[in-house]
RNA sequence: GGGCCGUUAGCUCAGUCGGUAGAGCACCGGACUUUUAAUCCGGGUGUCACAGGUUCGAAUCCUGUACGGCUCACCA
């Protein structure tokens, strides 16, 4: 048998001693089941009007200042922080000494007492009664510099949340933003639905899926890379405005704007086209900026050649609109139109030192050139009318272009939307083209053929518009952060602490 | 996957030319009844990420590995 006290230095001996003392006196903090508490924010608000009122409150001890026979300490709950004053005169000599000897920064305590203002003007609680509600057995990260090590911040996010207040607030805002998004969508007449995460065909995007297996069906399944094709089946089924906000999974690399699992908002509206979705997107983002951040202007800092550059992203609507070919033309330095032949595009790409496989289609060539231009877009810009061969689910606009837009902000793709292709024959052919392309270019991902989806279209899907928004990216943007890791509570990270109990190790060795 | 950078006490960091590791906070002992990064006195608690190599001697130089960050590629 192992015990926690000896397990991997999990427990600090001095801290553990305090807990043992408590238990010996019959005051095991872990026996406490509940505690009637007033939120600190409420105490603060009421103290503006009336002092001397008695409260019970609780929170985590964040700082202790001992002064012999009296002590100050700060406790914090999810609503705020307040100073607690504890005097031997008031609580009794023995009780005071016991608390003073056993309280550590990080403990969770419950107190009862009256509000008053100290000589230095700090609102405090004159404690009459105090108890430990939980004991900390390891020291918290440093109070002044906080926790900076990115690895520990992600692996032990609870510590990050605990000691870095702005991190805590960023997450609070992220989830407020999601709530506001749901309420916005409801106001626009959309209802929230849920569609499969386990899918037999990972459709709706071109990305590598995670693979899993259902034992009883003896079936290989994929974690969804997008909910798109299921949501559009609902349009066939008679739903007119639906949205889903949920996790999607892509088996790809991790970066400041990519996580293997991320949150996507997808919305579909029957009888609308992509201009409607542009309007919705713009209004949604402006609404969120106003409600969550209270401003359209978001300051950012970046480094270029070792220089710190401060700049501002302005979310004030209306957003700029540019065509895909305009951006490609700007990047190329000469005009690219639908008539520009492949040979010419190859020349341009080579001049721009873009690597080619030689297998690219017209749209893929334009895409490579366009990508160079996209990076420089900082202010919100709708890029419209994408090449058809890279948009196999979008409705045709011209021979080579589709009614599709993406919203680029701060160099990031925030949203992707189109007038949905509802012609089953065209859809069938587009899927076939994707299959062909996949046969030629083995390195890229293409949309997978989904015959069942084509079958659904054969029952008539109304004309419709669809939208996808990267919620993590949006949350990072609105909070002025340059990595989605700052708004994903537990970003995907390789496990490092892989501890097993000795018994398990032996079992493993034997197996 | 490529390139660059990082990993030193619980946390934040310093560590000279290669000479057996140091500060602040935290922690331990003591003083202190209105402090708030409390203060004052005393105490260093370490697998210098890991494994090799060079060297009389390595936190420091070299190689490899692990993990992380940035970036490019990939990818919405």
């Amino acid at each position: 048998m192992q015990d926690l006290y000896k397990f991997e230095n999990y427990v600090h001996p001095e801290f553990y001693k305090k807990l043992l003392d408590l238990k010996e006196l019959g005051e095991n903090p872990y026996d406490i089941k509940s505690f009637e508490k007033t939120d600190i924010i409420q105490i603060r608000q009421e103290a503006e009007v009336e002092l001397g009122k008695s409260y019970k409150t609780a929170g985590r001890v964040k700082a202790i200042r001992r002064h012999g026979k009296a002590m100050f300490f700060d406790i914090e709950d999810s609503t705020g922080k307040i100073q607690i004053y504890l005097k031997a005169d008031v609580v009794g000599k023995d009780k005071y000494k016991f608390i003073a000897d056993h309280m550590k920064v990080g403990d969770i305590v419950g107190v009862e007492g009256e509000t008053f203002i100290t000589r230095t003007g700090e609102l405090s609680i004159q404690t009459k009664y105090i108890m430990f509600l939980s004991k900390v057995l390891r020291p918290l990260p440093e109070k002044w510099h906080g926790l900076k090590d990115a690895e520990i911040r992600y692996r032990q996010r609870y510590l990050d949340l605990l000691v870095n207040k702005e991190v805590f607030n960023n997450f609070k805002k992220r989830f407020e933003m999601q709530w506001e998004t749901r309420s916005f969508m409801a106001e626009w007449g959309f209802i929230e639905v849920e569609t499969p995460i386990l899918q037999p065909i990972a459709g709706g995007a071109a990305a590598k899926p995670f693979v899993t297996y259902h034992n009883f069906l003896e079936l290989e399944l994929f974690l969804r890379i997008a909910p798109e094709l299921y949501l559009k089946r609902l349009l066939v089924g008679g739903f007119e405005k639906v949205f889903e906000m949920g996790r999607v999974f892509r088996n790809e690399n991790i970066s400041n704007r990519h996580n293997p699992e991320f949150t996507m908002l997808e919305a579909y509206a029957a009888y609308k086209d992509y201009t409607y979705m542009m309007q919705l997107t713009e209004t949604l983002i402006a609404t969120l900026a106003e409600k969550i951040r209270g401003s359209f202007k978001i300051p950012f800092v970046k480094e270029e050649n070792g220089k710190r550059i401060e700049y501002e992203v302005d979310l004030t609507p209306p957003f700029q609109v540019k065509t895909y070919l305009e951006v490609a033309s700007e990047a190329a330095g000469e005009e690219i139109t639908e008539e520009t032949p492949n040979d010419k595009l190859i020349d341009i790409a080579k001049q721009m030192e873009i690597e080619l496989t030689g297998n690219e289609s017209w749209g893929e060539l334009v895409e490579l050139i366009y990508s160079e231009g996209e990076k420089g877009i900082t202010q919100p810009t709708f890029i419209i009318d994408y090449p058809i061969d890279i948009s196999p689910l979008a409705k045709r606009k011209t021979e080579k272009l589709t009614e599709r837009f993406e919203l680029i902000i701060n160099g990031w793709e925030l949203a992707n939307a189109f007038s949905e292709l509802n012609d089953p024959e065209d859809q069938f052919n587009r899927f076939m083209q994707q299959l062909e392309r996949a046969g030629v270019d083995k390195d890229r991902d293409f949309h997978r053929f989904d015959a069942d989806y084509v079958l659904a279209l054969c029952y008539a899907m109304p004309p419709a518009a669809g939208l996808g928004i990267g919620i993590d990216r949006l949350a990072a943007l609105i909070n002025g952060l340059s990595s989605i890791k700052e708004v994903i509570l537990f970003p995907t990270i390789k496990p490092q602490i892989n501890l097993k109990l000795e018994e398990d190790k032996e079992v493993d060795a034997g197996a």
Side-chain angles (χ1 to χ4, degrees), chain A residues 241-294:
Chain A
K241 280 182 170 177
V242 292
F243 79 98
E244 179 163 10
M245 183 152 54
R247 213 66 69 81
V248 297
F249 308 84
R250 298 188 182 180
N251 205 338
E252 287 155 1
N253 242 327
I254 297 170
S255 80
N256 63 339
R257 49 186 173 272
H258 300 90
N259 196 61
E261 51 178 313
F262 62 101
T263 302
M264 179 130 95
L265 169 72
E266 281 205 15
Y268 292 84
Y271 310 108
K272 304 289 187 190
D273 67 9
Y274 74 150
T275 60
Y276 169 85
M277 281 305 181
M278 246 183 273
Q279 205 190 332
L280 184 150
T281 304
E282 190 177 274
T283 314
L284 172 65
I285 290 178
T287 303
L288 293 176
E290 206 153 43
K291 286 198 171 169
I292 303 303
R293 191 177 179 88

Side-chain angles (χ1 to χ4, degrees), chain A residues 329-349:
Chain A
S329 300
E330 280 168 27
E334 60 182 289
E335 198 179 12
I336 294 170
T337 68
E338 285 187 70
E339 278 69 49
T340 309
N342 285 28
D343 294 351
K344 178 69 186 162
L345 293 174
I346 290 169
D347 285 348
I348 293 171

Side-chain angles (χ1 to χ4, degrees), chain A residues 147-158:
Chain A
L147 178 65
K148 288 185 179 170
D149 188 307
E151 198 174 335
I152 303 176
R153 288 187 52 224
Y154 302 149
R155 288 191 198 286
Q156 295 177 273
R157 181 69 92 181
Y158 47 91

Side-chain angles (χ1 to χ4, degrees), chain A residues 52-89:
Chain A
K53 214 175 145 187
S54 185
Y55 294 95
K56 278 178 91 174
T57 190
R60 192 179 289 269
V61 176
K62 296 304 286 281
I64 302 174
R65 296 175 289 279
R66 290 187 177 85
H67 291 265
K69 307 261 178 325
M71 65 192 280
F72 292 95
F73 57 96
D74 301 328
I75 64 168
E76 188 175 68
D77 73 0
S78 69
T79 69
K81 201 190 258 188
I82 196 163
Q83 176 169 273
I84 310 296
Y85 187 45
L86 189 67
K87 257 201 306 194
D89 291 356

Side-chain angles (χ1 to χ4, degrees), chain A residues 50-246:
Chain A
E50 182 191 1
L51 288 171
K53 214 175 145 187
S54 185
Y55 294 95
K56 278 178 91 174
T57 190
R60 192 179 289 269
V61 176
K62 296 304 286 281
I64 302 174
R65 296 175 289 279
R66 290 187 177 85
H67 291 265
K69 307 261 178 325
M71 65 192 280
F72 292 95
F73 57 96
D74 301 328
I75 64 168
E76 188 175 68
D77 73 0
S78 69
T79 69
K81 201 190 258 188
I82 196 163
Q83 176 169 273
I84 310 296
Y85 187 45
L86 189 67
K87 257 201 306 194
D89 291 356
V90 177
V91 294
K93 220 167 64 187
D94 293 345
K95 177 75 174 176
Y96 176 83
K97 187 172 172 14
F98 176 73
I99 295 292
D101 284 351
H102 291 87
M103 185 188 288
K104 309 300 299 178
V105 169
D107 282 345
I108 295 169
V109 299
V111 300
E112 185 174 5
E114 289 164 10
T115 49
F116 75 106
I117 305 279
T118 63
R119 196 155 71 187
T120 50
E122 176 88 19
L123 175 66
S124 308
I125 292 176
Q126 174 71 264
T127 308
K128 294 210 163 69
Y129 173 80
I130 176 165
M131 68 190 298
F132 291 106
L133 301 179
S134 192
K135 280 297 287 175
V136 68
L137 296 181
R138 291 171 65 82
L140 257 41
E142 206 233 1
K143 61 184 170 189
W144 191 241
H145 297 94
L147 178 65
K148 288 185 179 170
D149 188 307
E151 198 174 335
I152 303 176
R153 288 187 52 224
Y154 302 149
R155 288 191 198 286
Q156 295 177 273
R157 181 69 92 181
Y158 47 91
L159 292 178
D160 192 26
L161 293 166
L162 216 49
V163 300
N164 297 327
K165 208 68 220 150
E166 69 288 354
V167 171
F168 185 87
N169 286 330
N170 285 339
F171 281 105
K172 232 162 115 182
K173 280 187 189 161
R174 185 222 152 109
F175 295 111
E176 274 168 34
M177 189 192 90
Q178 280 182 240
W179 191 88
E180 288 292 348
T181 301
R182 288 194 159 94
S183 123
F184 177 94
M185 294 307 288
E187 263 173 53
W188 277 54
F190 288 79
I191 67 168
E192 185 172 11
V193 298
E194 289 189 302
T195 62
I197 288 174
L198 297 176
Q199 303 181 347
I201 297 166
K208 283 183 190 64
F210 285 92
V211 189
T212 186
Y213 186 79
H214 190 280
N215 291 344
F216 289 87
L217 293 179
E218 298 183 354
L219 177 67
E220 186 178 60
L221 288 167
F222 302 91
L223 272 63
R224 69 177 173 195
I225 56 174
E228 171 147 0
L229 299 185
Y230 284 93
L231 290 172
K232 285 193 279 194
R233 282 175 172 94
L234 297 182
L235 296 181
V236 175
F239 282 92
E240 290 189 10
K241 280 182 170 177
V242 292
F243 79 98
E244 179 163 10
M245 183 152 54

Side-chain angles (χ1 to χ4, degrees), chain A residues 464-501:
Chain A
L467 165 71
I469 294 181
I471 290 296
D472 313 270
R473 290 181 180 182
L474 184 57
L477 172 78
I478 285 181
N479 284 313
L481 304 165
S482 50
S483 172
I484 60 170
K485 286 197 178 81
E486 298 301 327
V487 293
I488 295 174
L489 281 168
F490 300 99
T492 306
I493 191 165
K494 279 196 190 182
Q496 186 191 39
I497 299 170
N498 205 358
L499 301 170
K500 286 186 170 187
L501 296 177

